[in-house]
Amino acid sequence: WKLAASQLPDWSLDIVGDGPEKQRLTKLAQSLPQVHFHGWIRDRDELDAIYQDARFSVLTSKYEGFPVTLLEALSRGLPGIATDCSSALQLLNQNHPVIRITETDSPECIASNLTAAAANLPEGDSLGQLAQQVAREYDWPIIGQQWDRILTQS
């Protein structure tokens, strides 16, 4: 965010979730503009409001099995920007490239992708519709049927 904030003066960084790094990150963010820590959100309406105000979901993990939080954001119509932390990202992108995949451990690449995506908001809006389509492929009725087929074949 430090690298992108000056190019996005009307934007904010909203961090949802909690964990052992929160205190350290909060301290680092004190010198940065428009950084908001929301912590763990249990209230669905509050989370919906954050998603409605967002334009992108950014995932900066080093490792993920399956990026469920990114899939949740896709289901809300938010295209993603993610570090190359999971082979599942290529799977999610295989029919519609709705996630900009960037190098892991490269703040410069993340910032570059964020500012490029922000400069192309109409593209992001159309990607939002595709993002929802991608997420629907992972809805429980579809995935549940696939699991049923796998388990009955064994």
Side-chain angles (χ1 to χ4, degrees):
W1 182 244
K2 181 178 182 178
L3 299 173
S6 64
Q7 296 174 57
L8 303 169
D10 297 329
W11 288 57
S12 65
L13 174 63
D14 290 271
I15 299 172
V16 177
D18 214 342
E21 294 291 312
K22 184 178 180 181
Q23 186 175 6
R24 184 181 72 80
L25 294 173
T26 302
K27 187 175 181 178
L28 283 173
Q30 287 176 346
S31 64
L32 300 174
Q34 301 287 18
V35 178
H36 308 284
F37 288 88
H38 297 275
W40 185 258
I41 298 177
R42 286 183 168 73
D43 181 347
R44 187 158 186 95
D45 291 337
E46 185 180 349
L47 186 58
D48 286 343
I50 290 171
Y51 278 126
Q52 284 182 328
D53 288 341
R55 299 306 296 251
F56 304 99
S57 177
V58 181
L59 179 68
T60 60
S61 296
K62 289 185 179 187
Y63 308 103
E64 290 283 335
F66 190 90
V68 176
T69 57
L70 188 56
L71 183 61
E72 183 178 335
L74 293 175
S75 75
R76 306 297 178 85
L78 295 176
I81 298 168
T83 54
D84 194 7
C85 61
S86 170
S87 58
L89 296 172
Q90 284 77 21
L91 180 66
L92 291 169
N93 260 356
Q94 74 182 5
N95 294 323
H96 305 290
V98 295
I99 304 164
R100 289 173 175 256
I101 302 172
T102 185
E103 293 177 36
T104 305
D105 289 327
S106 177
E108 296 81 10
C109 286
I110 295 166
S112 174
N113 275 278
L114 182 57
T115 55
N120 293 308
L121 286 179
E123 175 187 281
D125 291 339
S126 63
L127 283 177
Q129 294 171 354
L130 290 174
Q132 289 177 316
Q133 184 176 337
V134 168
R136 279 193 293 274
E137 296 169 15
Y138 295 87
D139 281 347
W140 180 246
I142 294 169
I143 296 298
Q145 288 177 4
Q146 291 175 2
W147 272 108
D148 285 346
R149 278 194 303 274
I150 290 169
L151 294 174
T152 56
Q153 291 175 358
S154 298

